[in-house]
Amino acid sequence: MAKSPVLHTAHFALHAAPVASVQGLATEPALGVVLPKRWAKRAVTRNGMRRHIYAQFGLQAAQLPEAAFVVRLKRSFSREQFISAWSKPLADAVRAELAHMAAFCTTDALKLARSPAAKAVAQPPAGVAP
C-alpha cells in the first residue's frame, strides 16, 4: 500500500498495481484485504466483509486485469445506523460499495495504477451514509 489508493468509496479504499511490479506474483489477478480492528471491532463484522469482498471480486474474476488489488477498510460503519454486528442492511451497504469497486477494477484500475498522480473519488451509492 505504498501507492495512493486508485479509488475511494465511503468506507473502503482500493489500491492497485500491475502484477509485473509486484515481486512474487503469478501473471493473474491477485486480491488482498485489510480490515483493521480499529474500524470493525467485531470479528463477525470483519469476517462478513471479507466474505463479501472475495465473493464480489470472484464474480468479476474473468474480467479483472492482471493486477494486484488491495481493498482496505478506511472508516467504520455507523453503529447508530447499523446496530447489529452483521445484519442485512449492513451487508447490503457493504455489497453496494464493493460492486462499485469491482466494476471499476474491470475498466479503469490499471490505467490509474500506472499513473500515481491520478485518483478517482467515488460518490457513495444511494442509501449509504458516509
Side-chain angles (χ1 to χ4, degrees), residues 12-91:
F12 295 98
L14 176 72
H15 299 264
V19 170
S21 69
V22 181
Q23 190 175 25
L25 285 182
T27 57
E28 59 186 37
L31 177 64
V33 178
V34 179
L35 301 170
K37 278 187 179 180
R38 177 180 182 186
W39 302 123
K41 303 274 186 214
R42 299 176 185 171
V44 68
T45 305
R46 292 190 306 274
N47 290 335
M49 286 181 189
R50 189 173 292 111
R51 277 194 311 267
H52 279 287
I53 291 168
Y54 284 119
Q56 189 66 48
F57 279 82
L59 292 173
Q60 304 284 340
Q63 293 90 17
L64 289 175
E66 292 178 0
F69 298 102
V70 176
V71 177
R72 178 176 54 92
L73 181 65
K74 64 175 185 150
R75 187 173 294 123
S76 64
F77 283 85
S78 169
R79 282 200 138 165
E80 290 80 30
Q81 185 177 4
F82 303 106
I83 297 169
S84 175
W86 190 249
S87 60
K88 182 162 177 30
L90 179 56

